[in-house]
């Protein structure tokens, strides 16, 4: 009985926000990052309200200048955001209403936080996509510079992490360039789907006010508007796409980092880093650890975690807006922060790296890496390649990894199989000759690499132009704020 009375009294108590509810549901502690985008979106929305006749010119002016003052205060850290107001959107609206009264209370006409937060996230994402893109361009530039600086340096190419065939160091560095080229392409592709305005979708069904959605999009330099109000408030594909593109980019950084870590080991000795950019040991005074590369490698795991969190969040959500979607923010912010920081650190780290050309050239001598050239030589002169492969394999096995021994057996083979050929192994089977033979497009010969480098340079220039052009659109937010 007592139990029942108590539950009835609980039931009849008017619902009110309590601390526990708020501490679990509030998002302002992380979504405060959206304040610039939120204010710019509100200014554009206010213009649409004025055009729809919901507010008059004086009210528009008061909303706009009020929002700009709030922006200035937020920038200088003078305005405090209140967690009891839940999120950044409610906070800014409250700051505005406290300041200008009724006009401020009209701002949310024809708008829901559901389309508002979707807009803010898109504005923030397009900006961050370009920030990361310009960091990628910087790393690509370092890779190109290093490739040019080391243009005749030879190193072992590996497959299965076993010595395979000699390659130019420039060729190896450029391989990383192309991975980043695709990453950049993915980010800019994601930008296209991100840069659409969902404002006017309202909570779920659209808006009953004559809001010119295209004009709002225009004001924010967005490429158009979304086509379905239900999709507009629930679509976080751009979040997942960005998280994936960044995760894959981080996987590429991790792979590059792993090589730098390996190459700097005593056993390889291919590369040295600037002392100021290496880590020491609290115990071992001699240590110079490649901490930056190790952390970039480690942070890729964190990016992948963010991606998995976003995808898991989205799966099984019914249409349209669900509060779960608030959870997209920390993952997205984190994957952007992690990517940018890793790119910046690794770019400096690589820029200061010094390759040991002598050691690399020497390593390219070991491992019988010109065995393929010998088989090719036989094949070119008519020995069926399978047979040539078998004969050369036999010779390599017998030489037990010894380079001199291999050359001796190679000479025997040449005399036996190609008695008319005037060539000796020690001249024909050098790393330099091996590299020179591989002039196919994308191959490692000096000529092919020089061509590759010029294509890469041209692309870098073009991409820089595209990113700069898109930056113009992104800066619409700041133009609205600081006009
Ligand atoms: N803070 C929310 C988010 O980030 C904003 C939208 C809330 N909408 C609502 N009806 N409670 O997703």
């Amino acid at each position: 009985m007592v139990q029942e009375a108590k539950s009835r009294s609980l039931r009849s108590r008017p619902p009110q926000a309590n601390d526990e509810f708020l501490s679990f549901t509030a998002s302002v502690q992380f979504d405060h990052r959206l304040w610039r985008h939120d204010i710019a979106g509100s200014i554009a929305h206010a213009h649409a309200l004025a055009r729809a006749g919901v507010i008059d010119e004086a009210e528009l002016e008061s909303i706009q200048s009020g929002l700009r003052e709030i922006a200035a205060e937020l920038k200088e850290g003078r305005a405090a955001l209140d967690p009891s107001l839940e999120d950044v959107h409610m906070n800014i609206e409250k700051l505005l209403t406290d300041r200008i009264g009724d006009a401020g209370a009209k701002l949310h006409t024809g708008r829901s936080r559901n389309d508002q937060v979707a807009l803010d996230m898109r504005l923030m994402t397009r900006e961050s996509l370009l920030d990361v893109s310009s960091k990628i361009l910087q790393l690509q530039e370092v890779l190109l510079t290093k490739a040019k600086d080391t243009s005749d340096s030879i190193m072992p190419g590996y497959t299965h992490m076993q010595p395979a065939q000699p390659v130019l160091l420039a060729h190896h560095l450029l391989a990383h360039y192309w991975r980043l080229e695709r990453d950049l392409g993915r980010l800019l592709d994601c930008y296209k789907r991100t840069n659409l305005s969902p404002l006017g979708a309202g909570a779920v069904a659209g808006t009953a006010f004559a809001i010119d959605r295209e004009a709002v999009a225009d004001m924010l330099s967005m490429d158009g508007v979304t086509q379905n109000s239900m999709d507009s408030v629930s679509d976080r594909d751009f979040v997942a796409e960005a998280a994936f593109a960044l995760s894959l980019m981080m996987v590429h950084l991790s792979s590059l980092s792993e090589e730098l870590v390996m190459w700097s080991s005593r056993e390889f000795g291919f590369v040295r880093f600037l002392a100021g950019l290496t880590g020491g040991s609290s115990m071992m005074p001699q240590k110079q650890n490649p901490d930056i590369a190790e952390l970039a490698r480690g942070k890729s795991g964190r990016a992948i975690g963010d991606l998995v969190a976003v995808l898991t969040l989205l799966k099984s959500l019914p249409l349209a807006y669900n509060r779960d979607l608030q959870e997209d923010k920390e993952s997205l912010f984190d994957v952007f922060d992690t990517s940018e920081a890793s790119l910046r650190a690794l770019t400096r780290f690589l820029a200061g790296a010094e390759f040991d050309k002598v050691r690399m050239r020497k390593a390219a001598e070991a491992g019988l890496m010109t065995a393929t050239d010998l088989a090719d030589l036989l094949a070119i002169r008519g020995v069926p390649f399978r047979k040539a492969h078998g004969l050369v394999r036999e010779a390599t096995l017998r030489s037990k990894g010894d380079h001199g021994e291999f050359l001796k057996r190679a000479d025997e083979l040449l005399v036996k199989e190609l008695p008319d050929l005037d060539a000796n192994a020690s001249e024909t089977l050098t790393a330099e000759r091996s590299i020179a033979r591989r002039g196919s497009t994308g191959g490692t010969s000096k000529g092919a690499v020089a061509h590759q480098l010029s294509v890469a340079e041209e692309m870098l220039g073009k991409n820089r132009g595209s990113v700069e052009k898109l930056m113009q659109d992104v800066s619409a937010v700041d133009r609205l704020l600081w006009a």
Side-chain angles (χ1 to χ4, degrees):
M1 278 315 260
V2 176
Q3 204 63 41
E4 198 184 283
K6 195 175 161 204
S7 69
R8 200 182 305 130
S9 83
L10 265 181
R11 228 179 292 132
S12 59
R13 209 174 77 189
Q16 53 179 317
N18 62 45
D19 290 349
E20 201 184 336
F21 176 83
L22 272 170
S23 74
F24 186 67
T25 58
S27 54
V28 69
Q29 63 277 19
F30 49 84
D31 67 19
H32 63 85
R33 258 175 97 138
L34 297 171
W35 68 265
R36 283 169 45 249
H37 314 98
D38 193 72
I39 291 178
S42 286
I43 290 175
H45 180 63
H47 279 266
L49 289 178
R51 236 168 287 131
V54 176
I55 57 175
D56 60 28
E57 277 305 313
E59 286 170 321
L60 171 62
E61 181 43 42
S62 141
I63 290 175
Q64 189 164 267
S65 52
L67 284 171
R68 285 180 179 154
E69 283 166 31
I70 292 166
E73 286 171 17
L74 284 166
K75 189 179 183 188
E76 286 157 26
R78 280 188 286 127
L81 299 177
D82 177 1
S84 77
L85 294 171
E86 211 179 287
D87 55 28
V88 66
H89 325 287
M90 299 294 264
N91 264 280
I92 290 172
E93 195 184 330
K94 172 79 165 37
L95 287 170
L96 181 69
T97 311
D98 287 350
R99 186 172 306 235
I100 66 170
D102 271 356
K106 288 186 181 181
L107 173 63
H108 208 54
T109 313
R111 182 176 75 170
S112 157
R113 259 184 304 158
N114 299 350
D115 55 349
Q116 185 179 1
V117 72
L119 173 70
D120 295 0
M121 286 291 279
R122 283 171 182 269
L123 291 174
M124 174 260 152
T125 300
R126 73 171 183 180
E127 182 177 287
S128 302
L129 285 172
L130 293 192
D131 288 343
V132 175
S133 296
S134 53
K135 301 283 179 314
I136 291 180
L137 290 169
Q138 283 167 19
L139 178 54
Q140 284 184 309
E141 193 174 343
V142 168
L143 284 165
L144 288 190
T145 307
K146 290 272 164 198
K148 272 188 271 180
D149 291 352
T150 59
S151 64
D152 53 2
S153 192
I154 291 176
M155 67 175 292
Y158 298 89
T159 69
H160 309 259
M161 219 25 235
Q162 303 291 323
Q165 293 177 337
V167 293
L168 291 180
L169 169 59
H171 193 50
H172 191 122
L173 292 171
L174 284 169
H176 288 289
Y177 171 92
W178 294 110
R179 289 174 165 187
L180 292 168
E181 172 69 30
R182 293 190 295 276
D183 291 327
L184 189 69
R186 268 183 287 273
L187 293 176
L188 297 183
D189 192 54
C190 171
Y191 181 99
K192 286 187 245 161
R193 281 178 292 282
T194 304
N195 197 27
L196 298 172
S197 173
L199 211 65
V204 60
T207 176
F209 294 86
I211 284 169
D212 183 345
R213 295 193 58 207
E214 277 78 11
V216 172
D218 243 24
M219 235 182 142
L220 294 163
S221 293
M222 299 185 99
D223 299 326
V225 301
T226 54
Q227 293 302 321
N228 177 305
S229 63
M230 299 182 80
D231 182 42
S232 305
V233 291
S234 57
D235 174 17
R236 296 294 185 274
D237 290 6
F238 62 98
V239 175
E241 279 186 46
F244 169 71
L246 295 171
S247 295
L248 186 51
M249 192 273 301
M250 286 298 294
V251 166
H252 292 152
L253 294 194
S254 175
S255 165
L256 169 60
S257 299
E258 165 71 5
E259 290 185 342
L260 293 175
V261 170
M262 241 169 10
W263 291 358
S264 67
S265 70
R266 225 192 110 60
E267 288 68 18
F268 274 84
F270 286 0
V271 67
R272 274 179 305 272
F273 305 116
L274 284 180
L277 293 180
T278 54
S281 154
S282 56
M283 189 190 204
M284 301 167 283
Q286 84 283 12
K287 294 284 271 175
Q288 286 202 21
N289 297 325
D291 295 35
I292 289 181
E294 293 173 276
L295 279 169
R297 187 177 60 186
K299 282 174 191 288
S300 63
R302 182 175 168 146
I304 294 165
D306 290 325
L307 168 64
V308 173
V310 169
L311 290 174
T312 314
L313 165 72
L314 296 177
K315 80 171 263 301
S316 309
L317 281 188
L319 287 171
Y321 178 83
N322 296 277
R323 190 64 184 270
D324 314 45
L325 290 175
Q326 180 171 291
E327 286 290 311
D328 62 353
K329 288 173 195 64
E330 283 165 295
S331 300
L332 185 68
F333 298 162
D334 188 68
V335 76
F336 272 125
D337 292 347
T338 301
S339 302
E340 263 201 72
S342 305
L343 277 166
R344 204 176 312 129
L346 203 58
T347 301
R348 274 201 66 196
F349 191 62
L350 186 64
E354 242 186 72
F355 294 100
D356 189 331
K357 299 179 183 183
V358 175
R359 271 197 73 119
M360 283 185 151
R361 175 65 188 85
K362 225 166 151 204
E365 204 67 64
L368 316 186
M369 270 182 279
T370 49
T372 310
D373 294 84
L374 179 56
D376 284 353
L377 191 63
L378 295 171
I380 287 167
R381 310 272 158 164
V383 181
F385 182 75
R386 276 292 152 231
K387 184 180 170 201
H389 184 281
L391 291 170
V392 177
R393 175 157 184 81
E394 190 61 29
T396 60
L397 288 175
R398 293 226 183 124
S399 11
K400 298 201 166 60
D402 184 272
H403 191 64
E405 192 64 31
F406 170 64
L407 292 179
K408 225 167 80 195
R409 301 205 179 260
D411 274 329
E412 286 166 16
L413 212 98
L414 287 173
V415 169
K416 188 161 165 248
E417 294 297 322
L418 308 174
D420 301 335
L421 184 74
D422 181 25
N424 70 59
S426 60
E427 275 169 25
T428 316
L429 300 181
T430 62
E432 282 77 7
R433 297 278 283 270
S434 169
I435 285 173
R437 284 183 197 108
R438 283 163 179 81
S440 55
T441 303
T444 194
S445 80
K446 266 192 199 176
V449 170
H451 174 71
Q452 189 190 154
L453 213 113
S454 71
V455 176
E457 262 177 337
E458 195 187 321
M459 271 190 159
L460 186 75
K462 255 195 214 147
N463 288 335
R464 212 179 264 136
S466 312
V467 170
E468 268 162 28
K469 194 159 161 275
L470 294 174
M471 291 263 190
Q472 289 298 309
D473 290 345
V474 163
S475 61
V477 164
D478 283 323
R479 284 198 297 275
L480 285 172
L481 254 52
W482 318 117

